[in-house]
Every structure is written in structure tokens, then in C-alpha cells.
Amino acid sequence: MEAENGKKGFFDRLKSGLAKTRKLLLTDVDDILLGSKEIDQALFDELEEALIVADVGPAFTAELIESLKEKVKRKELASPEVLKKVLRETMREILLRNEAPLPIPTDKIYTIMVIGVNGTGKTTTIGKLARNLKEEGRAVTLVAADTFRAAAIEQLEVWAKRVNVPLIRQAANADPAAVVFDAIRAAKAGPPGVVIIDTAGRLHTKVNLMEELKKMKRIMGRELPGAPHEVLLVLDATTGQNAIAQAKMFKDEIGVTGLILTKLDGTSKGGVVVRIAKELGIPLRYIGVGEQLDDLRPFRAEEFVEALFAPNDR
Ligand SMILES: Nc1nc2c(ncn2[C@@H]2O[C@H](COP(=O)(O)OP(=O)(O)OP(=O)(O)O)[C@@H](O)[C@H]2O)c(=O)[nH]1
Ligand SMILES: [Mg+2]
């Protein structure tokens, strides 16, 4: 009962979180369909424009329009209303390919390195994730490896206290690789648990940041074969196309095994989820739809599409 309430609660928040995206995307699509008696090139052109504005990306848009045209040719698309169903179905298919919840084993140490440019929501997301995992009965340790900003360690400490999990930290300006080293040593000495590492989003230069992240990764792998088990990149949905560029950069430089998309509640560019699925081919692990502790959830394609296409509340 509790879990059901939780799910419904999140679905409603997801739905209201996606309100701006829905308004932009579906109101446009509805208007286009309402104004069209038949399916012709003009309709496709308008549809294409609406999709691009919603940030679903050119690759998805092109594929969708192509498949719609095929269906028209094969007479499978009789009326404009059917177009919306196909839009929904095509989105669902593409998103399903990127639905892959984080596979955290219970019998081994599992290390998660959280990376991303500054302000995307890394530290906040780690707090929420720690809470989720703890509620599932996991032992969680947080690691303050963002030693660049003085306040960063304190910020994570607040989360650790709030969620009631241990924090591994050193003094400000310590070498993050040394903090990670401590964390792995401590993890190996205790029962299996989940170790979540917060990292800096900005250093003096981008090259410094990449080198620092690579070094952390190297030390972890040396101390614990297979670590980091997951490199989670946090992307801010409100940055749309920029998020895609960041993902490509981190993927090439560091290697990314999973994504978290935050701040879906603050944007009409939620279509970027579709774009990420289509263009990046990296599993989308979690989505964030607000600043509260329970505003982070594993990404579910079906739930997302359902929330996106749900009727607007009056
Ligand atoms: N609306 C909304 N705000 C969010 C969400 N996730 C994070 N935030 C907010 O985004 C802001 C930045 O979050 P942080 O967690 O500090 O970001 P960070 O990536 O750790 O930033 P740096 O440590 O500077 O690199 C905070 O005000 C968060 O409350 C979300 O899903 N929705
Ligand atoms: Mg931070």
C-alpha cells in the first residue's frame, strides 16, 4: 500500500513535472492535427517543426516522420488522430531501449562515481539516491571527492546526516584521489555496501577536471578491481542541447555507463529525454523532477510516456 502510494505520488509529480514539456509538445501537435483534414506534406512540415522545438532532436524527428510517411504509403494511417498514437508508440520504443535500471548487487561492494559539469545536480541527486538505496535496505557510504569548492564537502555532509549514512571526507583542498583511496579501503574493511562518490563540476580548467576524474578512476580500479562499477553522468534537462554536448564530452574523456537527467520539472525541453535515448545510447538510470528527497526515480519508459501524454489537468 505504502509503495503504491509512493508510486502514485511520484507519477503525479512526474506528470506535473512534465507539464511544460507536454504543453509545448502536445498542444502544438494537437493544434496541428486539429487544423488538418488530411495527412499531407504541410502537416508533416508543421509536425517536424513542433518536434524540433520540443528538443526531441533531429535524429528522432527524421525517423518518426519517415516512419509516418511509410505508414501513409501503406495506408496504415487513415487520419491525423492516428499520428499521435504513432508518435507515442515510437517514443516508447526508443525510450525502452534506454531503460536499464542500475544493477546493484547485494553481495559485493558497488562503487558509483557521479560526474557532471557544475550545477547539474550531482550532490543533491546523491542525497536522493542514498535515501532511495537506504530505504531498499542497502548500506550506503557517501564520499566527498569534490574538494575544490570549500562548501561542497559541507553540502554533502548535510545530506549524509539527513539520510543518516556515513561520509568519508578529508580537509578541503585534499587530493580527491586520496579521498577515494580512503573510501575504497574503508569499504573493503566492512560488509558489502554501495559507495557513492561526489566529484567536482568545475576546476580551474576543463583539462584539470578531466585529468582529476581519470586519476580517481584509476586509483579506484587499482584498489578494487572493477571499480568504479558505474560512472553516472548527471545532466540538467533545462540545458537541452548542451546536455547532449556534455554527455559526448564525458563519454569520450572518462567513459560513462549511465545517465541521470535532473530538473525535468523546470523545463519545456523534456523532449531531450528522447533525444538522449536516440543519440547517445547510454542507459538512462534515473530522472529527477524536483528538489525534494523523493523526487528522484528510476527511469521507466512506459511511465514517462504515460505521464507525457496524460491529459492536461484543467
Ligand atoms: N527543480 C529541480 N532542481 C534540482 C533538481 N536536482 C537538483 N536541483 C537543484 O539544482 C541546484 C544544484 O544542485 P547541486 O546538487 O548543488 O549541483 P552540483 O552538480 O553538485 O553542483 P556543483 O557541486 O557546483 O558541481 C540545487 O539548487 C538543487 O536543489 C531537480 O530535479 N529539479
Ligand atoms: Mg556538488
Side-chain angles (χ1 to χ4, degrees):
M1 204 53 212
E2 184 87 331
E4 254 171 47
N5 284 340
K7 186 175 183 290
K8 185 168 183 307
F10 181 78
F11 184 77
D12 286 342
R13 282 203 300 286
L14 177 63
K15 205 181 130 188
S16 57
L18 289 174
K20 286 187 194 164
T21 301
R22 177 168 49 247
K23 190 156 178 291
L24 176 75
L25 179 66
L26 295 180
T27 311
D28 272 8
V29 171
D30 279 342
D31 286 352
I32 293 165
L33 298 182
L34 215 63
S36 310
K37 292 271 176 311
E38 46 188 312
I39 303 169
D40 53 11
Q41 186 57 43
L43 171 71
F44 284 132
D45 289 345
E46 284 182 63
L47 192 59
E48 187 167 357
E49 206 184 307
L51 290 168
I52 297 275
V53 171
D55 247 358
V56 296
F60 172 79
T61 304
E63 185 185 299
L64 180 75
I65 300 285
E66 207 43 54
S67 98
L68 287 174
K69 284 183 175 168
E70 276 302 311
K71 285 193 164 64
V72 171
K73 243 193 239 158
R74 294 201 301 264
K75 305 219 184 322
E76 288 169 21
L77 267 191
S79 66
E81 298 88 80
V82 188
L83 278 180
K84 201 164 152 185
K85 269 202 190 123
V86 178
L87 171 64
R88 177 181 171 145
E89 208 29 52
T90 312
M91 273 192 184
R92 199 180 73 96
E93 265 169 39
I94 284 172
L95 293 175
L96 268 173
R97 283 184 230 152
N98 281 50
E99 177 186 298
L102 206 54
I104 305 180
T106 49
D107 57 342
K108 294 190 201 66
I109 303 171
Y110 192 79
T111 52
I112 304 172
M113 190 172 153
V114 179
I115 64 174
V117 306
N118 62 299
T120 52
K122 291 180 295 300
T123 308
T124 313
T125 299
I126 288 170
K128 296 175 188 171
L129 187 55
R131 216 275 304 239
N132 281 7
L133 292 170
K134 202 168 176 238
E135 285 202 336
E136 286 171 20
R138 308 291 186 127
V140 180
T141 301
L142 301 186
V143 183
D146 176 1
T147 57
F148 182 69
R149 255 189 334 111
I153 301 172
E154 279 74 47
Q155 191 191 351
L156 193 65
E157 193 157 44
V158 169
W159 280 108
K161 285 201 176 117
R162 213 167 143 192
V163 183
N164 195 20
V165 296
L167 174 79
I168 305 274
R169 58 166 291 179
Q170 287 187 10
N173 292 319
D175 180 355
V179 183
V180 166
F181 178 89
D182 281 358
I184 300 285
R185 283 283 160 103
K188 286 203 291 193
V194 188
V195 179
I196 311 177
I197 298 147
D198 190 21
T199 66
R202 177 170 51 197
L203 293 190
H204 295 297
T205 70
K206 195 188 95 188
V207 176
N208 281 350
L209 176 63
M210 293 302 160
E211 288 312 312
E212 181 175 293
L213 293 173
K214 283 180 202 165
K215 183 175 168 193
M216 263 186 254
K217 239 187 116 177
R218 216 164 42 235
I219 300 282
M220 288 174 76
R222 195 186 71 199
E223 292 305 306
L224 181 69
H229 302 90
E230 173 86 355
V231 178
L232 264 182
L233 174 66
V234 179
L235 298 172
D236 174 343
T238 65
T239 61
Q241 210 157 307
N242 241 329
I244 303 283
Q246 288 163 21
K248 288 187 173 149
M249 178 183 78
F250 281 103
K251 186 181 170 186
D252 291 347
E253 294 266 351
I254 312 294
V256 175
T257 54
L259 300 173
I260 295 186
L261 196 64
T262 61
K263 309 188 195 179
L264 271 168
D265 52 308
T267 181
S268 58
K269 296 187 172 297
V272 75
V273 172
V274 175
R275 182 166 182 171
I276 281 172
K278 178 80 186 149
E279 295 178 25
L280 293 174
I282 305 171
L284 181 52
R285 307 289 198 193
Y286 295 90
I287 51 174
V289 293
E291 296 184 272
Q292 302 306 313
L293 259 176
D294 47 3
D295 284 335
L296 183 82
R297 274 292 170 109
F299 173 70
R300 302 274 176 210
E302 189 70 60
E303 185 181 61
F304 185 84
V305 173
E306 203 183 314
L308 183 60
F309 283 79
N312 256 329
D313 296 327
R314 294 142 308 269

mmCIF file of all heavy atoms in Angstrom, residues 1 52 76 89 104 112 119 152 176-177 194 200 221 247 260 271 278 286 288 308:
data_model
loop_
_atom_site.group_PDB
_atom_site.id
_atom_site.type_symbol
_atom_site.label_atom_id
_atom_site.label_comp_id
_atom_site.label_asym_id
_atom_site.label_seq_id
_atom_site.Cartn_x
_atom_site.Cartn_y
_atom_site.Cartn_z
ATOM 1 N N MET A 1 0.850 -1.203 0.000
ATOM 2 C CA MET A 1 0.000 0.000 0.000
ATOM 3 C C MET A 1 0.881 1.247 0.000
ATOM 4 O O MET A 1 0.748 2.130 -0.824
ATOM 5 C CB MET A 1 -0.879 -0.056 1.252
ATOM 6 C CG MET A 1 -2.167 0.751 1.143
ATOM 7 S SD MET A 1 -3.108 0.300 -0.317
ATOM 8 C CE MET A 1 -3.859 1.866 -0.699
ATOM 9 N N ILE A 52 11.025 19.514 -33.242
ATOM 10 C CA ILE A 52 12.362 20.108 -33.090
ATOM 11 C C ILE A 52 12.348 21.113 -31.942
ATOM 12 O O ILE A 52 13.258 21.133 -31.112
ATOM 13 C CB ILE A 52 12.812 20.799 -34.406
ATOM 14 C CG1 ILE A 52 12.933 19.761 -35.533
ATOM 15 C CG2 ILE A 52 14.102 21.576 -34.203
ATOM 16 C CD1 ILE A 52 14.227 19.007 -35.639
ATOM 17 N N GLU A 76 -1.736 2.680 -43.656
ATOM 18 C CA GLU A 76 -1.962 2.315 -42.254
ATOM 19 C C GLU A 76 -2.327 3.535 -41.404
ATOM 20 O O GLU A 76 -2.660 3.420 -40.246
ATOM 21 C CB GLU A 76 -0.702 1.667 -41.659
ATOM 22 C CG GLU A 76 -0.428 0.285 -42.179
ATOM 23 C CD GLU A 76 0.953 -0.219 -41.778
ATOM 24 O OE1 GLU A 76 1.529 0.303 -40.805
ATOM 25 O OE2 GLU A 76 1.445 -1.124 -42.460
ATOM 26 N N GLU A 89 3.849 5.780 -29.578
ATOM 27 C CA GLU A 89 4.396 4.427 -29.681
ATOM 28 C C GLU A 89 5.881 4.465 -30.078
ATOM 29 O O GLU A 89 6.698 3.727 -29.522
ATOM 30 C CB GLU A 89 3.558 3.661 -30.723
ATOM 31 C CG GLU A 89 3.482 2.177 -30.552
ATOM 32 C CD GLU A 89 3.606 1.692 -29.118
ATOM 33 O OE1 GLU A 89 2.885 2.170 -28.204
ATOM 34 O OE2 GLU A 89 4.463 0.834 -28.898
ATOM 35 N N ILE A 104 22.474 -3.083 -9.093
ATOM 36 C CA ILE A 104 23.346 -3.078 -7.919
ATOM 37 C C ILE A 104 23.266 -4.420 -7.186
ATOM 38 O O ILE A 104 22.206 -4.786 -6.683
ATOM 39 C CB ILE A 104 22.953 -1.942 -6.949
ATOM 40 C CG1 ILE A 104 22.952 -0.607 -7.706
ATOM 41 C CG2 ILE A 104 23.915 -1.887 -5.771
ATOM 42 C CD1 ILE A 104 22.578 0.581 -6.854
ATOM 43 N N ILE A 112 29.902 3.819 -7.164
ATOM 44 C CA ILE A 112 29.293 4.699 -8.162
ATOM 45 C C ILE A 112 30.015 6.041 -8.134
ATOM 46 O O ILE A 112 30.068 6.709 -7.096
ATOM 47 C CB ILE A 112 27.798 4.944 -7.855
ATOM 48 C CG1 ILE A 112 27.031 3.623 -7.756
ATOM 49 C CG2 ILE A 112 27.174 5.856 -8.903
ATOM 50 C CD1 ILE A 112 25.586 3.789 -7.274
ATOM 51 N N GLY A 119 26.659 22.447 -11.150
ATOM 52 C CA GLY A 119 25.274 22.884 -11.057
ATOM 53 C C GLY A 119 24.241 21.962 -11.669
ATOM 54 O O GLY A 119 23.049 22.260 -11.637
ATOM 55 N N ALA A 152 31.452 22.458 -0.786
ATOM 56 C CA ALA A 152 30.946 21.207 -1.377
ATOM 57 C C ALA A 152 30.935 20.066 -0.369
ATOM 58 O O ALA A 152 29.993 19.275 -0.323
ATOM 59 C CB ALA A 152 31.788 20.827 -2.590
ATOM 60 N N PRO A 176 41.476 14.636 -4.324
ATOM 61 C CA PRO A 176 40.279 13.791 -4.396
ATOM 62 C C PRO A 176 40.623 12.312 -4.550
ATOM 63 O O PRO A 176 39.898 11.449 -4.051
ATOM 64 C CB PRO A 176 39.544 14.288 -5.635
ATOM 65 C CG PRO A 176 40.165 15.576 -5.993
ATOM 66 C CD PRO A 176 41.495 15.680 -5.357
ATOM 67 N N ALA A 177 41.725 12.025 -5.233
ATOM 68 C CA ALA A 177 42.116 10.622 -5.412
ATOM 69 C C ALA A 177 42.451 9.990 -4.058
ATOM 70 O O ALA A 177 42.202 8.806 -3.827
ATOM 71 C CB ALA A 177 43.303 10.520 -6.365
ATOM 72 N N VAL A 194 27.028 0.114 -0.863
ATOM 73 C CA VAL A 194 27.106 0.984 -2.034
ATOM 74 C C VAL A 194 27.905 2.240 -1.663
ATOM 75 O O VAL A 194 27.599 2.899 -0.663
ATOM 76 C CB VAL A 194 25.703 1.389 -2.525
ATOM 77 C CG1 VAL A 194 25.805 2.138 -3.848
ATOM 78 C CG2 VAL A 194 24.796 0.170 -2.664
ATOM 79 N N ALA A 200 33.871 17.038 -8.329
ATOM 80 C CA ALA A 200 33.766 18.458 -8.676
ATOM 81 C C ALA A 200 33.170 18.620 -10.074
ATOM 82 O O ALA A 200 33.364 17.784 -10.945
ATOM 83 C CB ALA A 200 35.135 19.112 -8.615
ATOM 84 N N GLY A 221 40.157 1.646 -9.550
ATOM 85 C CA GLY A 221 40.344 0.369 -10.234
ATOM 86 C C GLY A 221 41.536 -0.397 -9.689
ATOM 87 O O GLY A 221 41.526 -1.632 -9.637
ATOM 88 N N ALA A 247 27.406 15.239 -22.526
ATOM 89 C CA ALA A 247 27.427 13.771 -22.479
ATOM 90 C C ALA A 247 28.467 13.221 -23.436
ATOM 91 O O ALA A 247 29.220 12.307 -23.098
ATOM 92 C CB ALA A 247 26.051 13.212 -22.814
ATOM 93 N N ILE A 260 21.856 10.343 -15.463
ATOM 94 C CA ILE A 260 20.747 10.848 -14.658
ATOM 95 C C ILE A 260 20.363 12.194 -15.248
ATOM 96 O O ILE A 260 21.224 13.032 -15.505
ATOM 97 C CB ILE A 260 21.150 11.028 -13.182
ATOM 98 C CG1 ILE A 260 21.467 9.672 -12.549
ATOM 99 C CG2 ILE A 260 20.026 11.734 -12.412
ATOM 100 C CD1 ILE A 260 21.731 9.717 -11.069
ATOM 101 N N GLY A 271 11.650 16.864 -23.929
ATOM 102 C CA GLY A 271 11.848 16.030 -25.110
ATOM 103 C C GLY A 271 13.289 15.574 -25.224
ATOM 104 O O GLY A 271 13.593 14.605 -25.917
ATOM 105 N N LYS A 278 17.952 8.426 -28.109
ATOM 106 C CA LYS A 278 18.179 8.159 -29.529
ATOM 107 C C LYS A 278 19.647 8.387 -29.933
ATOM 108 O O LYS A 278 20.223 7.607 -30.661
ATOM 109 C CB LYS A 278 17.265 9.093 -30.324
ATOM 110 C CG LYS A 278 17.380 8.993 -31.815
ATOM 111 C CD LYS A 278 16.615 7.806 -32.337
ATOM 112 C CE LYS A 278 16.854 7.639 -33.834
ATOM 113 N NZ LYS A 278 16.799 6.258 -34.246
ATOM 114 N N TYR A 286 18.182 7.217 -13.917
ATOM 115 C CA TYR A 286 17.228 7.909 -13.047
ATOM 116 C C TYR A 286 16.819 9.240 -13.661
ATOM 117 O O TYR A 286 17.571 9.833 -14.442
ATOM 118 C CB TYR A 286 17.850 8.224 -11.680
ATOM 119 C CG TYR A 286 18.195 7.024 -10.844
ATOM 120 C CD1 TYR A 286 19.442 6.430 -10.941
ATOM 121 C CD2 TYR A 286 17.273 6.495 -9.936
ATOM 122 C CE1 TYR A 286 19.771 5.321 -10.167
ATOM 123 C CE2 TYR A 286 17.595 5.388 -9.159
ATOM 124 C CZ TYR A 286 18.843 4.811 -9.278
ATOM 125 O OH TYR A 286 19.153 3.716 -8.512
ATOM 126 N N GLY A 288 15.143 13.132 -12.353
ATOM 127 C CA GLY A 288 14.806 13.989 -11.215
ATOM 128 C C GLY A 288 13.748 14.998 -11.629
ATOM 129 O O GLY A 288 13.850 15.625 -12.678
ATOM 130 N N LEU A 308 3.798 11.885 -19.994
ATOM 131 C CA LEU A 308 3.937 12.932 -21.005
ATOM 132 C C LEU A 308 2.654 13.115 -21.805
ATOM 133 O O LEU A 308 2.258 14.232 -22.126
ATOM 134 C CB LEU A 308 5.104 12.586 -21.951
ATOM 135 C CG LEU A 308 5.438 13.610 -23.023
ATOM 136 C CD1 LEU A 308 5.821 14.943 -22.403
ATOM 137 C CD2 LEU A 308 6.580 13.116 -23.913
#
